[in-house]
Amino acid sequence: MLRLSELVLLLVTTLQCRTAFAETGNSSDASSPESTSPAAVVAAANTCIQLQRSLGTSIVQTISSGPQYSIAANAAWSAFNHEVNFQPTCIVFVNSTEHVQTAMKAIYSNNADYVVQSGGHSGMTGWNTIQDGVLISFSNMNATSYDPETDTISLQPGISWGNASSIVEPYGVAPVGGRISNVGTGLLLGGGLSYLSPSQGYAADNYVSVDVVLVDGTLVTATASNQYADLFKALKGGGNRFGIYPNSSVEALLPAIAHFAQDTNDTNAVLATDFIASWGASGVEPTIQFEMFYNGSAASFNESFAEFLSIPYTSSTAGPLSYLDLVNEVNFPYGEGNLFAGSVLTGVSSTSNETSNQLIDDYIETYRLFNNFSTTYANSTEIQGTLLSFTPVLQSQIRISYEKGGNVISPPRELGGFNEVLFAVTYSEGVNQAPENIEQGRQFWIENTPRTAGLPLFANEADANQQVLASYGEYEFLKQVYAKYDPNRFNMRHTSGPLGL
């Protein structure tokens, strides 16, 4: 049953808005590529250079960056807003409030033109794309959640109303949102008409609070009763003239993965976390799967996995298993082509500090690049699914390895636990080799995904061309032993295997 009379919309999201008093940004004349001034060209170029330095080239991309730029430049609903007419100087693929603030501060200080794109469903030419300016894309911020205690829905800007409705429908509620499934949250900027509007008003009437990044990069929270009540009201139909509203919450699962690797001392606790994207009839279907195994009591299980158990989940098969049951619990089907790639990320202490937050960003960026790949190739018939998996290597495992004589992998003891990262692509039945365009995207993940220096890659879950052996602590020893037993390098010349010897 829908509790529509109680339903409110907590918009903790980023939408297409900007301050009315700003002298920067697009004017009506800037919607045409021909109207760009030389000063605007220089301002945009300087802004993009500055943002690449502060946010990195994987987040801030130019036309030469690769497929992600082109996908975003052609993501608008109207073909008039595609790359054939508009080529942004750079596209900023934000995935946090902080990224939005950084982008706006640079845009503001350089007096650069910019636009914001959430769902991209605008019929106005030049409103969600730009020539010689900065495009802020929210394609990676697409979460939706429902809080039953406050009866509110939180939206990130990249979500469509169809997807948002599907996510909250199991709770018996619905957002006062768009009437067409692939329309995005930009609908709220014009007030928004909904099937529920006769009883609930305009979609924007259902705001509870709005986090707004102003044009100079300042973050404020506007409500009906605080000092920003005027802004709160203006955002109800005021269009993209007042600011950008981002979600200030942080994804709970990725920090939990990082914390487990660093903080867990329980040798009975085993964890694997899989982010799965499956290609189905309705598009890419995402799933997150926790695999938590514990050799001991339920109470100890609850203690060791407390951070994970605090994260909401949709289903659970928790229960006692024999070791044989455990071995048979997970399997990968035969018959399809698969390609692997790997990375490795240090564990992060749950004690919050600046260094820890920076390291957590590496986990977020790793997931973002995975999600970008899956989204980029969502319409491909040659892919069956993708997987991003984190497997912790705990400090106890490293210690016991050394106690048993060590091995050539030899992770450094002083860095603590870490996570081996697997990125896998499963191709559709009948695909006999990776298509060139998909391989380009896969290599983009390999080249741009963060990796902690000094930690070893996992040879069983890496790309054939990754230098796994060179990442080992005993690499020099390994080369010496190989030279001793195969001085003519026959094995290297005649059979496939790890590189580097």
Side-chain angles (χ1 to χ4, degrees), residues 402 407-410 469 471-479:
Y402 280 99
N407 54 52
V408 294
I409 300 172
S410 295
L469 301 183
S471 71
Y472 288 177
E474 292 284 0
Y475 180 46
E476 293 302 320
F477 169 79
L478 189 64
K479 289 193 291 184

Side-chain angles (χ1 to χ4, degrees), residues 399-435:
R399 172 178 54 78
I400 292 169
S401 175
Y402 280 99
E403 289 176 354
K404 292 186 175 182
N407 54 52
V408 294
I409 300 172
S410 295
R413 307 187 205 203
E414 67 276 8
L415 293 184
F418 55 91
N419 275 292
E420 295 285 8
V421 183
L422 166 65
F423 170 48
V425 181
T426 300
Y427 295 86
S428 301
E429 184 177 357
V431 176
N432 297 318
Q433 60 181 353

Side-chain angles (χ1 to χ4, degrees), residues 89-361:
T89 306
C90 65
I91 301 177
V92 185
F93 294 92
V94 295
N95 53 40
S96 69
T97 300
E98 292 73 21
H99 287 171
V100 180
Q101 290 182 270
T102 299
M104 286 310 306
K105 287 176 181 177
I107 289 167
Y108 186 76
S109 65
N110 286 287
N111 201 38
D113 292 344
Y114 77 101
V115 293
V116 177
Q117 186 180 106
S118 51
H121 203 281
S122 173
M124 292 75 167
T125 301
W127 278 33
N128 54 22
T129 188
I130 193 169
Q131 178 69 29
D132 298 314
V134 180
L135 169 60
I136 300 176
S137 169
F138 291 103
S139 57
N140 298 316
M141 293 178 68
N142 53 19
T144 295
S145 62
Y146 173 67
D147 184 346
E149 292 188 4
T150 59
D151 199 30
T152 57
I153 297 170
S154 297
L155 299 172
Q156 285 190 327
I159 194 74
S160 68
W161 291 109
N163 289 336
S165 299
S166 296
I167 291 170
V168 302
E169 191 273 340
Y171 300 100
V173 297
V176 185
R179 297 169 292 176
I180 300 174
S181 64
N182 64 350
V183 170
T185 55
L187 164 129
L188 296 166
L189 299 177
L193 291 174
S194 169
Y195 288 124
L196 304 174
S197 287
S199 63
Q200 302 298 317
Y202 284 97
D205 290 331
N206 294 278
Y207 291 161
V208 172
S209 69
V210 187
D211 285 354
V212 186
V213 174
L214 301 177
V215 70
D216 63 355
T218 302
L219 175 65
V220 302
T221 298
T223 72
S225 58
N226 70 3
Q227 61 181 312
Y228 302 108
D230 52 351
L231 176 61
F232 182 78
K233 184 174 181 179
L235 292 169
K236 297 181 178 183
N240 65 336
R241 293 299 182 196
F242 295 93
I244 303 175
Y245 353 143
N247 190 339
S248 58
S249 64
V250 178
E251 175 64 48
L253 180 56
L254 292 169
I257 295 169
H259 297 159
F260 186 90
Q262 184 67 26
D263 294 342
T264 300
N265 297 313
D266 191 339
T267 58
N268 293 314
V270 180
L271 170 73
T273 310
D274 300 329
F275 297 85
I276 304 167
S278 303
W279 270 239
S282 58
V284 174
E285 301 166 358
T287 304
I288 302 174
Q289 181 173 293
F290 302 2
E291 297 157 11
M292 299 176 289
F293 308 122
Y294 194 83
N295 184 20
S297 67
S300 296
F301 172 92
N302 292 336
E303 181 179 354
S304 290
F305 294 111
E307 188 172 4
F308 289 92
L309 295 173
S310 70
I311 300 171
Y313 53 87
T314 56
S315 63
S316 171
T317 58
L321 290 173
S322 70
Y323 186 77
L324 180 60
D325 290 335
L326 177 60
V327 171
N328 291 326
E329 184 72 7
V330 179
N331 66 81
F332 292 100
Y334 285 83
E336 291 82 25
N338 291 273
L339 287 176
F340 288 174
S343 186
V344 58
L345 296 173
T346 186
V348 182
S349 173
S350 56
T351 303
S352 179
N353 56 56
E354 185 176 353
T355 300
S356 294
N357 292 335
Q358 291 171 351
L359 294 173
I360 291 293
D361 285 344

